Amino acid sequence: MTLKAILFDFNGVIINDEFLHEKLIEQVLIDENLLLRPGEYNQFCLGRSDRACLEGILTERGRYINEGYLDQLIKRKAIAYQQQLESLEELPIYSDTIDFISQVAQANLKMAVVSGALRSEVELVLNKTNLIDFFKTIIAGDDVKASKPKPDAYLLAVNILNQQYPDMDLQPSECLAIEDTFAGIEAAKLAGISVVGVAHTYPFHMLQRLANWCVDYLSDLELDRIQKVYQQINS
C-alpha cells in the first residue's frame, strides 16, 4: 500500500481564522438576542460547518429553527467573513502549512481540501494566497449535508479524486488527513483515513490521544517516514 493523497482541513490548518469565526458567530447570535456562552464555540463549532454550529447552539437554547432561517444566518455570517478578510492587509496563513504543501507537491501526491467551511470562503482564501492551483479538489461545507465528525466529506473527497484521476484507484487507506480538531480527526478515521493532528488549535497532548500522528507544526512532519509506514503496511 502506498500513500497517494493528502487531504487538508481548512480552518485551523491552512488559515488561522478560528478567532474570526468565533467573533462572527458571536455577532450572529447577538443579532438574534442571544449571547455566546463560555465554551459554547468549542463545543458546537470547532471542526464543524456553520450550519451544524448554529443548529447546535440554537437547539441547545430551545429556539425553533428551520432550513430557511439557518440559510439566512449562514449567508449573513459569510458576507461578514468576506468583508473581514478583505480588510486584512495579509491573510493569517500558517507558514508551516505552506511549506508542507510544497513538500507534498514535490512528492507528486494528490491534494484536496476537505472542510466544513463554505466553498466561497475556501476559494476566496486559496485564490488570494495563490494556493488554488494546488487544490483541484475542494470539498466544502455546502457539498455535504452531514458535517464532521460524520465521515461524509472525506468519503466524497476520495470519490471525487477517483473521478478526476480514474487510473489512481484511490482507497481511503491510501490517504492521509491533516486535522486540528476532535471532530475532524473523528471524521477522517470513520472514513478509514489515517490522521495527522496538528496542534494549531488544541494542545499536542490532547490530539495525540486521538490522531495516528501528532505534531506541533507541520514543518515537524517527516513525509518520507510517513510514506515508509504506508509502504510497510500489507507489504
Side-chain angles (χ1 to χ4, degrees):
M1 186 177 72
T2 57
L3 176 61
K4 296 180 179 179
I6 309 286
L7 311 180
F8 291 79
D9 181 40
F10 182 66
N11 308 110
V13 169
I14 292 178
I15 182 169
N16 181 14
D17 64 350
E18 287 293 357
F19 70 96
L20 178 54
H21 285 283
E22 183 171 3
K23 172 185 172 183
L24 295 177
I25 289 292
E26 183 176 28
Q27 186 58 55
V28 167
L29 293 175
I30 288 173
D31 293 342
E32 299 302 307
N33 296 312
L34 294 171
L35 291 177
L36 185 64
R37 294 169 179 166
E40 235 175 3
Y41 183 80
N42 284 14
Q43 179 182 356
F44 291 105
C45 304
L46 273 182
R48 295 171 168 83
S49 67
D50 286 344
R51 184 174 298 275
C53 163
L54 289 167
E55 185 175 15
I57 293 174
L58 293 170
T59 299
E60 178 77 6
R61 301 298 187 86
R63 289 291 183 97
Y64 171 76
I65 54 176
N66 57 47
E67 291 302 309
Y69 174 54
L70 283 175
D71 287 344
Q72 291 178 9
L73 298 184
I74 292 166
K75 182 177 180 180
R76 189 193 310 164
K77 176 183 174 287
I79 292 171
Y81 178 81
Q82 183 169 342
Q83 290 172 341
Q84 289 286 328
L85 288 192
E86 295 291 355
S87 70
L88 298 176
E89 291 186 9
E90 184 176 350
L91 295 186
I93 301 297
Y94 285 103
S95 59
D96 58 317
T97 302
I98 299 293
D99 294 340
F100 184 67
I101 288 171
S102 297
Q103 287 184 46
V104 176
Q106 291 171 11
N108 293 317
L109 299 173
K110 305 303 181 189
M111 284 184 269
V113 168
V114 182
S115 174
L118 296 176
R119 177 172 293 274
S120 59
E121 297 176 357
V122 176
E123 291 181 345
L124 172 65
V125 170
L126 295 181
N127 276 303
K128 287 178 72 70
T129 55
N130 297 316
L131 293 174
I132 192 69
D133 289 341
F134 290 108
F135 297 103
K136 184 177 178 181
T137 303
I138 297 172
I139 305 301
D142 26 5
D143 293 320
V144 292
K145 290 185 177 180
S147 171
K148 297 174 185 178
K150 299 293 186 182
D152 300 42
Y154 276 109
L155 293 173
L156 180 58
V158 173
N159 185 36
I160 296 298
L161 282 167
N162 274 320
Q163 292 178 33
Q164 293 171 338
Y165 308 99
D167 294 336
M168 184 166 57
D169 189 26
L170 181 66
Q171 302 300 314
S173 59
E174 297 170 321
C175 300
L176 179 69
I178 310 295
E179 282 284 355
D180 68 307
T181 65
F182 306 145
I185 292 172
E186 182 178 349
K189 295 184 86 170
L190 285 173
I193 297 171
S194 296
V195 193
V196 170
V198 57
H200 287 166
T201 303
Y202 286 101
F204 181 97
H205 72 275
M206 296 179 73
L207 297 179
Q208 189 178 32
R209 291 175 291 183
L210 302 172
N212 299 88
W213 294 275
C214 191
V215 291
D216 285 309
Y217 307 99
L218 284 177
S219 53
D220 298 333
L221 188 63
E222 297 181 41
L223 187 57
D224 289 344
R225 290 185 63 185
I226 299 279
Q227 289 176 306
K228 288 179 181 177
V229 170
Y230 276 73
Q231 290 169 359
Q232 291 168 358
I233 296 174
N234 298 327
S235 61

